[in-house]
């Protein structure tokens, strides 16, 4: 699995398709938290929202690296569809880790804050929650579930809109609402950890659906 993830990551970097989500994430966090002097919970909300978009884009970029003939060869070399899918998910999440660190650091650089350990832990939880959710959205909007790239983009936009604006819908809308209405990070650590676990369950379900559909279509 390590070799597969390394290969997927190398292919992604050489294709330079990681640059767009990276630049989008950096620009959004920098703009939304520039000159911010308020509680860090709001800054974490901005970084989490940016992570949701970046993780979705990164996952769709990964799943679209190969055409169908090349994907068939890669599936055989990887040892099956499940291993390839697992490697793709792990690569997407690995790509989100540097963004998480960037999302923690940028608000401190462009704003004025005195972070505590609880602030940093909450920011990590929030961004990872959206990284897992964005990866799930990326899988649902990519082959084999959606074969046409345009249709996948429309589906991804619809899912992202529903996740962010549907009032009280976990994990994303509920997370962003709590981050925008509370100013003590320590008070949100436990509830955000639960949302993180829910996001992991959503990603598992999306991966299972993608694997099932791929098996039936082949």
């Amino acid at each position: 699995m390590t070799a597969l993830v390394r290969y997927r990551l190398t292919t992604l970097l050489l294709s330079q398709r990681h640059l767009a989500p990276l630049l989008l994430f950096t620009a959004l966090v920098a703009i939304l938290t520039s000159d911010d002097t308020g509680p860090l919970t709001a800054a974490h909300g901005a970084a989490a929202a940016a992570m949701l978009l970046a993780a979705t884009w990164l996952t769709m970029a990964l799943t679209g690296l190969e055409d169908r003939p090349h994907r068939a060869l890669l599936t055989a070399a990887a040892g099956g569809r499940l291993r390839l899918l697992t490697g793709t998910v792990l690569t997407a999440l690995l790509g989100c880790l540097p963004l998480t660190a960037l999302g923690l650091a940028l608000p401190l650089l462009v704003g004025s804050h005195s972070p505590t350990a609880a602030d940093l832990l909450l920011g990590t939880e929030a961004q990872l929650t959206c990284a897992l959710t964005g990866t799930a959205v990326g899988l649902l909007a990519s082959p084999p579930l959606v074969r046409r790239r345009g249709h996948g983009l429309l589906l991804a936009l619809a899912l992202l809109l529903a996740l962010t604006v549907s009032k009280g819908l976990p994990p994303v809308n509920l997370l962003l609402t709590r981050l925008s209405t509370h100013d003590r990070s320590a008070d949100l650590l436990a509830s955000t950890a639960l949302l993180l676990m829910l996001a992991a369950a959503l990603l598992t379900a999306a991966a299972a659906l993608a694997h099932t559909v791929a098996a039936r279509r082949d």
Side-chain angles (χ1 to χ4, degrees), residues 38-49 122 126 164 172-185 188 192:
L40 266 173
T41 51
H44 293 328
L122 178 65
T164 52
V172 177
N173 181 267
L174 186 56
L175 171 67
L176 298 181
T177 300
R178 288 174 177 174
L179 291 173
S180 64
T181 56
H182 292 74
D183 57 7
R184 282 178 48 84
S185 296
L188 297 176
T192 305

Side-chain angles (χ1 to χ4, degrees), residues 55-199:
T56 300
W57 195 335
L58 187 63
T59 304
M60 294 181 71
L62 268 170
T63 57
L65 285 175
E66 300 89 12
D67 54 22
R68 293 190 67 183
H70 287 101
R71 191 178 302 115
L73 292 174
L74 183 58
T75 299
R81 288 183 295 270
L82 182 58
R83 283 183 59 84
L84 178 59
L85 177 62
T86 303
T88 299
V89 170
L90 291 177
T91 304
L93 295 178
L94 183 63
C96 291
L97 293 181
L99 297 184
T100 301
L102 187 60
L104 292 175
L106 268 180
L108 305 180
L109 296 175
V110 301
S112 179
H113 303 282
S114 299
T116 64
D119 289 325
L120 298 178
L121 180 56
L122 178 65
T124 301
E125 288 181 346
Q127 290 188 76
L128 290 180
T129 297
C130 286
L132 291 168
T133 306
T135 303
V137 172
L139 288 180
L140 294 175
S142 300
L145 275 73
V146 182
R147 290 180 175 176
R148 293 184 179 272
R149 185 171 298 179
H151 294 168
L153 178 59
L154 291 176
L155 177 59
L157 291 175
L159 290 174
L160 291 173
L161 186 63
L163 286 168
T164 52
V165 304
S166 298
K167 188 175 181 180
L169 181 66
V172 177
N173 181 267
L174 186 56
L175 171 67
L176 298 181
T177 300
R178 288 174 177 174
L179 291 173
S180 64
T181 56
H182 292 74
D183 57 7
R184 282 178 48 84
S185 296
D187 296 339
L188 297 176
L189 289 176
S191 60
T192 305
L194 293 176
L195 294 177
L196 176 59
M197 289 187 286
L198 176 59

Side-chain angles (χ1 to χ4, degrees), residues 7-41:
Y7 170 79
R8 297 292 280 164
L9 186 60
T10 301
T11 305
L12 177 66
L13 293 175
L14 291 176
S15 72
Q16 297 188 346
R17 294 189 184 185
H18 66 289
L19 292 178
L22 172 61
L23 294 175
L24 173 67
F25 178 85
T26 304
L28 285 177
V29 176
I31 292 171
L32 294 175
T33 63
S34 180
D35 297 324
D36 181 32
T37 58
L40 266 173
T41 51

